[in-house]
Amino acid sequence: MSALLAGLTLLIIGDSHVAFKDSLLSVLPDEFSRQGAKVVTYGVCSATAADWVVPNPNNGCGATQRIGDEPVRAPDMKPVAPPEVTGLIAKWHPNAIMVILGDTMGAYGQDTVSASWVEEQVKTLTYAIGKTACLWVGPTWGQYSPRYGKSDQRASTLAALLKADVAPTCTYVDGTQLMAKGSVNTTDGIHATAASYRAWGDAIVRATLPDLERIKDAAPPATP
């Protein structure tokens, strides 16, 4: 087993992309655990950034928690609010937080996305994260479907907004730069197939390992 990240505690929070089996929930905790990190993952379907600060129950489309690389459990399908990020920081004492959010704030299917609303959402969360090292993984490409209306143009617009808004608290990892346009196969326009989640997850790991290793080396040991 590699020990590149030994001593690092990584908290991952996100939306439906980390809430189900065969999603990033099945990729990232496994891979980062293999690198020696202690990983704690929370995924809440439909959650926006501010929901992790001012808890707002979702519509019951799925929420889960995964400790390390334990077996992925079926999500709780009852309406539930995301746990407050400040409470998670106090509980787990992470050296780094990885936020996987964006699609829930893209206003897909609408003519425009409110830049000021996205900024308010993002800044609410980054303010709460505070001085904890943070990597924010933005959404990747999708496929247009009437259900969600995600388009390549809106994906690019959202990526630009998120990149600007997460700074300086978080380092932005642009999902649209990790995958080639048109390469992501989905089940509904937004959620990827298991194979595409694997490819996206592997790309996220490659992109973030250097930063996580640097964070581990710079941070004091996590409090037990």
Side-chain angles (χ1 to χ4, degrees):
M1 176 183 290
S2 172
L4 280 176
L5 301 182
L8 179 83
T9 298
L10 174 64
L11 172 64
I12 301 175
I13 63 173
D15 53 25
S16 56
H17 292 304
V18 287
F20 300 95
K21 184 179 180 181
D22 295 328
S23 70
L24 295 179
L25 180 65
S26 296
V27 181
L28 300 183
D30 285 356
E31 293 300 325
F32 290 129
S33 293
R34 284 194 191 99
Q35 299 291 343
K38 176 183 178 181
V39 186
V40 185
T41 307
Y42 293 83
V44 181
C45 176
S46 295
T48 65
D51 291 343
W52 294 87
V53 181
V54 183
N56 178 41
N58 73 357
N59 58 11
C61 60
T64 195
Q65 173 186 346
R66 188 182 184 201
I67 307 298
D69 56 359
E70 68 182 12
V72 177
R73 296 178 293 178
D76 182 355
M77 301 305 289
K78 298 176 182 178
V80 62
E84 294 183 52
V85 71
T86 51
L88 295 178
I89 292 171
K91 179 177 182 178
W92 298 108
H93 305 284
N95 305 106
I97 295 177
M98 182 174 290
V99 180
I100 301 175
L101 276 172
D103 273 327
T104 56
M105 300 180 289
Y108 299 140
Q110 300 180 26
D111 290 340
T112 60
V113 56
S114 171
S116 61
W117 180 79
V118 172
E119 181 180 16
E120 181 182 12
Q121 286 281 322
V122 170
K123 294 300 184 185
T124 298
L125 180 52
T126 58
Y127 181 82
I129 289 172
K131 295 183 179 180
T132 305
C134 171
L135 302 175
W136 189 304
V137 180
T140 190
W141 308 107
Q143 295 171 317
Y144 179 80
S145 75
R147 179 177 179 182
Y148 291 111
K150 183 174 183 176
S151 66
D152 289 347
Q153 181 178 5
R154 181 58 56 83
S156 296
T157 298
L158 182 62
L161 292 175
L162 291 172
K163 182 177 182 179
D165 292 340
V166 306
T169 302
C170 302
T171 298
Y172 189 61
V173 181
D174 189 344
T176 64
Q177 297 298 311
L178 298 181
M179 303 285 284
K181 188 183 295 186
S183 69
V184 180
N185 293 316
T186 71
T187 58
D188 57 12
I190 288 182
H191 301 97
T193 62
S196 283
Y197 269 128
R198 165 57 65 181
W200 184 21
D202 288 345
I204 292 171
V205 171
R206 289 193 298 271
T208 59
L209 263 178
D211 281 329
L212 290 174
E213 189 176 7
R214 174 182 53 78
I215 291 166
K216 181 211 70 171
D217 291 342
T223 303

